[in-house]
Amino acid sequence: MILQDKVSSIKGVGDKRAKLLKNLKIDTIDDLLHLFPRKYEDRREVITIMEAQPGKDVLVHGRVISKRMGGNPYNKKTPLKVTVQDESANLEVMFFNGKYLSNYFSIGCEYTFYGKINISSGKRQMAHPEFHKMGEAEDVRGIFPVYPLTDGLTQAAIRKLQKTVLPMAKESCEWLSEDIVKRYNLCSPSYAIEKLHFPDDERQIREARYRMVFEELLVLQTGLFYIRQNRSAEDSGIKIDLDISVKEFMDRMPFSLTSGQEQVWKDVQKDLALGRAMNRLVQGDVGSGKTVVAELAMYKTAKAGFQSAMMAPTELLAKQHYASLKRDFEPLGFTVDLLCSSLKAKEKREVLSRIESGDTDIVVGTHAIIQPDVVFKSLGLVITDEQHRFGVDQRILLAQKGANPNVLVMTATPIPRTLAVILYGDLDISVIDTMPPGRVPIKTLLRNDNAREGIYNFVQTKVNEGRQCYVVAPLIEESESIKCKSAEELYEEIKVKYPRLRVGLVHGSMKQEDKDYVMESFASGDIDVLVSTVVIEVGIDVGNATVMVIENCERFGLAQLHQLRGRVGRSHYQSYCILVCGNESKIANQRNQIMCSTENGFVIAEEDMKLRGPGEIFGTRQHGLPELNISDLVKHVDVLEDVKNVASNIIEKDNRLKNADNQVLRQKVKKMFGENIQLNL
Ligand code: ADP
Ligand code: MG
């Protein structure tokens, strides 16, 4: 057998098993060896029944002193109750539907049990433990790996499979250079694999994990650097003359650029003039004014005779951009079109043919833009807004619609620097670090459930003054299992209690036209209070809305709260964000404190990362990065630093990964990034 053999070549793995393993993305023996435990169970010590802490998994020994079927002995579903004893106490072991096990346990014989002990009316009980007859199994004790499972596969089955293939781990050869291995004190891959599955102690787990995390992050970072390097190495990008003036465009704007915008605009112009494709990320907090920078780039591109495409994550946002682009560009003689899936067939055909003929200068839309039926005459610039909703591969799909067009990515999700480097490893980064002048800081207030009356009276007062208000709830409709306010419930409540308010409701499961209608009514001031779910989180811009009430704020993450709050504070009026907290957990309190203390997205992002890890906020999937097997971008951020240096060294010396030394790395990059992003490896 070799590592690349299919799992079906393992004894005991038939078609059915192979299919189950496939669910875990396991094809080959090598894949199986790389299915690492998600945690371990410490079963090194046998403890006495008396010592066992309730609720914690423990390993105990006991002699069977009695057994019986509880309840009706003729009913197969009645539990089997086996009472065992060690020198310290008695323990009742229960198996529901356990009749079939009855013969396995013999009075007077000794067994080991691994499970949780609970004490119920003075009696120690253990339900459904793992068990072995003493002397029957050798490996009852030790550190046990716990694997991610799929239906139909048990821990025991995977452990057994891993034991079977473990000798193959030796075939996993060292592929990193001696220099790197020495410098970072890495153990060998075969040792790492072996010890990750069957460690003797914690130290081995640490050594093994470090090696594998290092290796995985190195492959990721190298892939990202490869993309960036080889893209900027191509000289065939669209060149846009530095001399094209944007004065005509800026003259019509009611403001001049802030210093932050000015700086970023300089970066962008330099990229455009360079003649190789721009790949730049513009990071700027909510409201920092990213759109105008994008517009300037589109203006210059249009002047140079090329088309621009702007992709937004939601239809709502696409339409909003469409409206402002039309306002800003049509008077200057440029054509703007909207492309989204809700267009009627005829309209869509017309738009498509205008894009193809080149009549359209600027097209804005949703994912519809990257569909195969969209053909550009001369695409020169691609802009994606609110990048965190798009993946690297989608961005690349859009870019492929032109001959190496310039790419500008805009995001309002402030990401700590260390993470940005990898999440956007294939992009150059500019940051708008200023806010447009005249902003009144938002007042953020924390209230609990009891204050609701006062809060909505306040809303009424603000509406009387002519302002508008958002109310955000975590759920669409009432739920029995989750105790919190739903959007529908709030909508009804507010309508009844405050009959003078014009209330609207918008949520994700409404039909597109209905959503649009409500949003448009809110934007035009025909609705005073908009009750919604997080659908309004991204990009909506209604300056007259000055109050944001977030119900059950404990159910939102910090980044989300920050995005939501960014919907207000968009004009010279004083704005308010009222966090209504339904459950004062420790983490909710910490989040609320942070929200009340700062409006700076970068600070919030750092804190968010500390509080609860990356999963929900900077989920790698959201960023379209390949899925990681063992690494965690936040937990292993220090490894990331080392890896960055190693990867950039490798790419500097061998930018196309052609050297003989780099062939394994090349294969691994290819495997991690898959076919869809076309590395041309
Ligand atoms: P975001 O970065 O969140 O996308 P926008 O581009 O939507 O922000 O800008 C937010 C608001 O600020 C818009 O109403 C925009 O017209 C305004 N704005 C942008 N730049 C400036 C500026 N330099 N001076 C004054 N207002 C500005
Ligand atoms: Mg925006």
Side-chain angles (χ1 to χ4, degrees):
M1 279 200 299
I2 59 164
L3 285 172
Q4 296 319 318
D5 280 344
K6 299 273 179 231
V7 280
S8 50
S9 63
I10 306 170
K11 221 171 78 190
V13 179
D15 281 355
K16 202 176 142 213
R17 269 270 156 101
K19 234 184 228 148
L20 291 175
L21 288 169
K22 184 106 195 155
N23 292 342
L24 294 168
K25 302 206 175 89
I26 294 170
D27 241 352
T28 64
I29 295 177
D30 198 38
D31 295 338
L32 179 59
L33 283 171
H34 282 83
L35 176 75
F36 296 128
R38 49 183 180 85
K39 59 175 192 177
Y40 298 88
E41 288 170 359
D42 187 352
R43 304 194 196 177
R44 284 174 294 184
E45 304 261 356
V46 176
I47 62 169
T48 65
I49 294 170
M50 194 63 130
E51 275 177 309
Q53 264 185 43
K56 261 180 82 177
D57 284 314
V58 289
L59 186 64
V60 295
H61 273 175
R63 180 187 303 276
V64 175
I65 53 172
S66 73
K67 59 176 179 176
R68 66 189 170 90
M69 297 302 294
N72 177 355
Y74 298 104
N75 183 348
K76 269 206 224 130
K77 292 202 168 155
T78 57
L80 169 68
K81 296 184 173 179
V82 180
T83 304
V84 302
Q85 188 177 55
D86 70 0
E87 69 274 16
S88 71
N90 283 4
L91 174 69
E92 185 174 72
V93 181
M94 288 190 299
F95 299 94
F96 299 101
N97 303 326
K99 190 158 193 255
Y100 71 104
L101 286 171
S102 178
N103 289 333
Y104 183 80
F105 293 101
S106 316
I107 309 272
C109 286
E110 284 188 50
Y111 299 80
T112 60
F113 300 93
Y114 181 78
K116 284 185 185 46
I117 290 187
N118 286 312
I119 302 181
S120 145
S121 43
K123 219 163 148 187
R124 292 186 159 71
Q125 293 181 322
M126 198 184 240
H128 284 267
E130 275 188 48
F131 54 90
H132 294 280
K133 201 167 184 167
M134 286 285 282
E136 219 171 47
E138 312 145 17
D139 45 4
V140 173
R141 289 173 63 173
I143 296 182
F144 275 58
V146 179
Y147 294 97
L149 286 184
T150 180
D151 272 349
L153 274 176
T154 60
Q155 288 298 345
I158 296 195
R159 279 178 204 142
K160 201 164 155 213
L161 277 176
Q162 296 290 11
K163 278 245 156 79
T164 315
V165 295
L166 197 64
M168 302 282 297
K170 283 196 203 59
E171 315 273 314
S172 236
C173 300
E174 183 56 78
W175 57 276
L176 293 168
S177 74
E178 213 182 306
D179 177 47
I180 295 174
V181 169
K182 269 220 188 95
R183 181 147 26 114
Y184 297 100
N185 212 359
L186 301 173
C187 67
S188 72
S190 55
Y191 176 92
I193 291 175
E194 191 187 325
K195 294 308 178 190
L196 273 171
H197 292 296
F198 300 106
D200 301 319
D201 54 38
E202 286 87 350
R203 190 181 53 91
Q204 292 182 344
I205 301 177
R206 268 199 311 276
E207 287 171 348
R209 190 178 279 144
Y210 181 67
R211 156 80 206 206
M212 284 303 165
V213 167
F214 188 97
E215 166 174 331
E216 185 171 51
L217 292 179
L218 179 64
V219 174
L220 176 68
Q221 185 74 82
T222 307
L224 292 169
F225 281 161
Y226 178 94
I227 300 174
R228 178 158 78 182
Q229 184 72 20
N230 288 293
R231 208 165 24 208
S232 54
E234 299 190 30
D235 251 349
S236 55
I238 287 157
K239 185 171 167 161
I240 294 184
D241 209 332
L242 211 49
D243 293 340
I244 295 176
S245 163
V246 294
K247 183 168 182 307
E248 175 195 38
F249 184 87
M250 276 318 290
D251 280 351
R252 299 187 65 255
M253 285 280 128
F255 50 74
S256 50
L257 297 183
T258 62
S259 64
Q261 285 168 322
E262 197 71 66
Q263 184 52 50
V264 173
W265 175 228
K266 260 192 201 137
D267 292 344
V268 170
Q269 290 189 86
K270 238 187 262 161
D271 288 348
L272 290 174
L274 223 46
R276 53 161 113 114
M278 164 170 80
N279 277 285
R280 185 165 294 279
L281 173 78
V282 174
Q283 224 182 338
D285 215 338
V286 202
S288 61
K290 295 180 289 294
T291 319
V292 65
V293 176
E295 285 190 333
L296 283 168
M298 287 190 260
Y299 176 79
K300 249 183 137 149
T301 303
K303 276 285 216 188
F306 294 97
Q307 293 169 297
S308 296
M310 182 174 199
M311 187 157 74
T314 65
E315 189 144 343
L316 224 58
L317 208 49
K319 286 189 169 153
Q320 191 177 292
H321 279 311
Y322 176 59
S324 46
L325 288 170
K326 260 171 87 109
R327 177 198 65 206
D328 296 341
F329 280 90
E330 283 190 347
L332 298 171
F334 297 106
T335 322
V336 183
D337 267 311
L338 173 70
L339 189 61
C340 51
S341 44
S342 70
L343 285 190
K344 300 217 172 58
K346 181 163 166 275
E347 286 172 311
K348 191 176 164 192
R349 266 199 312 276
E350 286 169 8
V351 173
L352 287 178
S353 90
R354 280 203 294 273
I355 296 173
E356 189 161 4
S357 70
D359 287 348
T360 301
D361 298 303
I362 291 168
V363 55
V364 54
T366 54
H367 287 83
I369 295 193
I370 50 174
Q371 300 315 308
D373 56 353
V374 187
V375 181
F376 288 84
K377 175 149 185 273
S378 57
L379 183 60
L381 173 65
V382 167
I383 293 171
T384 61
D385 192 14
E386 307 298 344
Q387 142 75 11
H388 57 294
R389 298 287 180 94
F390 293 114
V392 176
D393 44 354
Q394 286 171 320
R395 204 161 71 220
I396 289 173
L397 268 180
L398 185 52
Q400 278 165 359
K401 293 202 167 284
N404 245 343
N406 295 302
V407 175
L408 190 61
V409 172
M410 302 193 292
T411 179
T413 312
I415 293 165
R417 288 238 162 248
T418 37
L419 271 186
V421 170
I422 191 142
L423 289 176
Y424 300 117
D426 63 326
L427 299 171
D428 300 314
I429 301 179
S430 299
V431 179
I432 302 185
D433 54 6
T434 49
M435 281 296 191
R439 286 291 150 94
V440 188
I442 300 168
K443 285 197 174 136
T444 301
L445 312 163
L446 184 61
R447 294 289 180 266
N448 62 26
D449 265 347
N450 313 334
R452 194 167 276 117
E453 181 97 25
I455 295 168
Y456 288 99
N457 287 340
F458 178 73
V459 168
Q460 175 78 67
T461 312
K462 286 294 148 187
V463 170
N464 292 345
E465 290 171 14
R467 304 286 79 74
Q468 287 164 282
C469 167
Y470 296 102
V471 176
V472 177
L475 298 180
I476 296 177
E477 46 187 49
E478 239 175 305
S479 148
E480 280 185 11
S481 52
I482 309 172
K483 256 193 83 185
C484 65
K485 287 275 171 190
S486 73
E488 285 181 347
E489 211 180 334
L490 279 165
Y491 171 71
E492 295 301 334
E493 236 177 79
I494 298 170
K495 263 200 329 198
V496 172
K497 274 204 186 146
Y498 300 89
R500 281 188 302 140
L501 291 176
R502 295 168 302 169
V503 191
L505 174 68
V506 64
H507 58 68
S509 58
M510 277 165 56
K511 272 212 257 89
Q512 190 59 49
E513 303 108 79
D514 299 341
K515 265 196 276 192
D516 290 349
Y517 180 75
V518 177
M519 284 312 301
E520 277 153 26
S521 311
F522 187 68
S524 62
D526 295 334
I527 288 177
D528 303 314
V529 176
L530 181 63
V531 183
S532 81
T533 53
V534 286
V535 289
I536 57 148
E537 176 190 343
V538 173
I540 300 301
D541 189 16
V542 178
N544 191 45
T546 58
V547 184
M548 164 66 68
V549 180
I550 305 177
E551 292 271 1
N552 289 98
C553 64
E554 73 279 2
R555 301 196 65 88
F556 296 96
L558 261 180
Q560 237 173 357
L561 292 173
H562 176 63
Q563 286 288 336
L564 286 170
R565 180 168 60 183
R567 297 308 111 218
V568 296
R570 297 183 153 250
S571 58
H572 59 277
Y573 301 115
Q574 174 65 56
S575 283
Y576 304 84
C577 174
I578 304 169
L579 303 171
V580 190
C581 195
N583 160 6
E584 307 196 8
S585 71
K586 191 165 160 231
I587 191 148
N589 274 333
Q590 284 170 317
R591 267 189 223 138
N592 295 335
Q593 289 315 319
I594 295 165
M595 283 298 290
C596 292
S597 67
T598 181
E599 266 190 69
N600 182 322
F602 282 92
V603 175
I604 292 177
E606 296 278 357
E607 294 297 329
D608 201 8
M609 187 161 105
K610 282 189 219 147
L611 275 187
R612 59 171 202 179
E616 296 125 82
I617 343 132
F618 317 110
T620 54
R621 209 162 306 151
Q622 270 189 2
H623 287 278
L625 283 182
E627 236 173 285
L628 297 171
N629 183 26
I630 190 169
S631 327
D632 177 322
L633 292 176
V634 169
K635 240 179 14 213
H636 302 127
V637 76
D638 45 340
V639 187
L640 211 51
E641 285 289 306
D642 291 341
V643 157
K644 202 177 86 191
N645 293 331
V646 175
S648 74
N649 263 333
I650 293 175
I651 288 291
E652 229 164 72
K653 289 195 192 116
D654 179 17
N655 71 345
R656 302 202 65 93
L657 295 177
K658 293 278 192 212
N659 289 355
D661 304 350
N662 289 331
Q663 289 319 294
V664 181
L665 177 58
R666 178 194 176 96
Q667 286 311 318
K668 287 187 188 277
V669 170
K670 214 166 160 179
K671 182 161 184 199
M672 181 183 279
F673 282 81
E675 299 308 321
N676 54 344
I677 74 161
Q678 305 214 339
L679 285 179
N680 304 319
L681 275 171

